[in-house]
């Protein structure tokens, strides 16, 4: 599909807005619907869309395999790190109240970081699964 | 949606099946919006209709596009499926009615989350407060499940690829 001009133009128009929507869902998760999981999935869907239109090799240039694999582990580690940070600051594991002087600000900060961790892991796993499946198809040709 | 399911069950062309299941996911997302579960609807639209459709198309690329005719009449599986379905329907008779305010699930911790959540956590979205603040361990577990699934798929699919790479030169 890399030579289809209508698809390319529509994809170039749509992908920035999909990415923006993913970021909105991520950072607005405290207030509106959505959160880390949804944001990660939408981000991954935007990347899959890009890969379908512009080819897997171009997508691999944007987000290399090594980076995607790092993302899978980094999200979980970030989540665990927030829990350990709560421990180090004198609270319980995953206790956000101690993350800031103001308890409510601490809650917001903790939720922000753990949602980011969830989003990174989910996006990484989805993209990795897609890369593996699509890569297998290409090799058999 | 019923129509989509019936056509899905009867179609033998797998490409049509993949497209129809994407359609079914979109319809399901609208149902979720009608039920006021917008975050579930977003997930359904992105995963069910988007990524899984692409993955199924990728899988379809590796195999033939027509479903094989079954070698025998599947009467026994049909009977088992119908019997299981009847048992499940029988089980739902004991459940409280849909959106019944007297249901036990609405009397355990849900009132406390709804009433105390905004004051205790200061997070306006109660769903996020429950997921991240009250049940942070659950969400950590879910993230670990996603991580484990990804690691498992990498282990399964990548090993075959490296053996294939060794055979080619």
């Amino acid at each position: 599909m890399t030579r289809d001009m209508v698809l390319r133009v529509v994809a170039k128009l749509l992908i920035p807005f999909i990415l923006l929507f993913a970021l909105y869902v991520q950072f607005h998760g405290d207030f509106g619907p959505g959160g880390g999981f949804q944001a990660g999935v939408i981000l991954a869907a935007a990347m899959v869309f890009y890969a379908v239109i512009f080819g897997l090799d171009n997508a691999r240039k944007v987000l290399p395999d090594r980076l995607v694999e790092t993302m899978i582990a980094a999200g979980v580690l970030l989540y665990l790190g927030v829990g350990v940070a709560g421990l180090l600051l004198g609270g319980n594991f995953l206790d956000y109240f101690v993350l800031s002087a103001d308890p409510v600000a601490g809650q917001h900060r903790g939720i922000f970081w753990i949602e980011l961790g969830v989003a990174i892991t989910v996006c990484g796993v989805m993209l990795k699964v897609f890369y593996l499946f699509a890569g297998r198809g290409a090799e058999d040709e | 949606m019923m129509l989509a399911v019936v056509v899905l069950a009867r179609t033998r062309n797998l490409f049509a099946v993949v497209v129809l299941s994407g359609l079914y996911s979109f319809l399901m997302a609208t149902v979720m919006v009608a039920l006021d579960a917008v975050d579930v609807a977003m997930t359904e639209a992105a995963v069910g209709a988007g990524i899984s459709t692409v993955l199924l198309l990728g899988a379809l690329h590796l195999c033939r596009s027509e479903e094989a005719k079954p070698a025998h009449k599947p009467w026994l599986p049909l009977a088992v499926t119908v019997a299981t379905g009847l048992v499940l329907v029988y089980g739902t008779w004991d459940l409280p009615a849909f959106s019944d305010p007297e249901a036990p699930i609405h009397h355990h911790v849900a009132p406390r989350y709804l009433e105390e959540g905004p004051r205790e956590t200061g997070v306006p979205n109660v769903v996020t407060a429950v997921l991240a603040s009250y049940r942070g361990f659950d969400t950590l577990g879910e993230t670990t499940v996603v991580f484990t699934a990804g690691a498992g798929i990498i282990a399964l699919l990548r090993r075959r690829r490296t053996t294939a790479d060794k055979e080619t030169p």
Side-chain angles (χ1 to χ4, degrees), chain A residues 21 25 29-34 37-38 41-42 44-45 48 52 60 69 72-73 76 79-80 93-94 96-97 104 107-108 111 114-115 118 121-122 125-126 128-130 132-133 136-137 139-141, chain B residues 38-40 42-43 46-47 50-51 54-55 58-59 61-62 119-125 128-129 131-133 135-140 143-144 146-147 149-151 153-154 157-158 160-161 164-165:
Chain A
F21 181 62
V25 169
D30 295 5
F31 302 97
F37 190 91
Q38 284 80 14
V41 167
I42 294 172
V48 169
V52 167
R60 279 213 165 103
E69 280 165 29
I72 296 176
V76 181
Y79 200 134
L80 280 172
F93 186 69
L94 286 176
Y96 312 131
F97 289 115
V104 172
Q107 280 283 333
H108 277 281
I111 290 176
I114 66 153
E115 293 278 353
V118 174
T121 295
V122 169
V125 169
M126 292 284 173
K128 188 67 201 172
V129 172
F130 170 70
L132 284 171
F133 264 86
R136 279 175 70 86
E139 277 158 21
D140 288 355
E141 279 179 53
Chain B
V38 188
D39 41 355
V40 185
M42 279 197 274
T43 317
V47 178
I51 295 178
V54 172
L55 287 184
H61 184 68
L62 300 174
R119 192 180 56 76
E120 281 182 354
T121 64
V123 178
N125 184 354
T128 308
L131 275 180
S133 301
R135 305 206 172 158
F137 278 69
D138 273 13
T139 314
L140 176 61
T143 316
T144 318
V146 174
F147 167 77
I153 285 177
I154 291 174
L157 288 183
R158 203 216 252 131
R160 280 189 203 160
R161 203 172 62 181
D165 282 348

Side-chain angles (χ1 to χ4, degrees), chain A residues 72-121:
Chain A
I72 296 176
V76 181
L77 286 176
L78 180 58
Y79 200 134
L80 280 172
V82 173
V84 174
L87 278 182
L88 291 178
L89 289 170
N92 294 322
F93 186 69
L94 286 176
D95 186 356
Y96 312 131
F97 289 115
V98 293
L99 291 177
S100 170
D102 178 17
V104 172
Q107 280 283 333
H108 277 281
R109 194 173 288 178
I111 290 176
F112 172 81
W113 285 109
I114 66 153
E115 293 278 353
L116 195 64
V118 174
I120 292 173
T121 295

Side-chain angles (χ1 to χ4, degrees), chain B residues 14 18 40 59 71 83-84 86 88 91-92 95 100 113 146 154 158 164:
Chain B
L14 290 178
V18 170
V40 185
T84 315
L86 287 178
L88 287 175
T92 60
L95 292 177
D100 178 9
Y113 287 157
V146 174
I154 291 174
R158 203 216 252 131

Side-chain angles (χ1 to χ4, degrees), chain A residues 45-73:
Chain A
M47 273 308 296
V48 169
F49 186 35
Y50 181 83
V52 167
I53 302 293
F54 294 98
L56 190 61
D57 293 335
N58 280 325
R60 279 213 165 103
K61 276 180 207 152
V62 178
L63 278 181
D65 277 280
R66 192 172 290 271
L67 179 64
V68 172
E69 280 165 29
T70 315
M71 279 164 68
I72 296 176

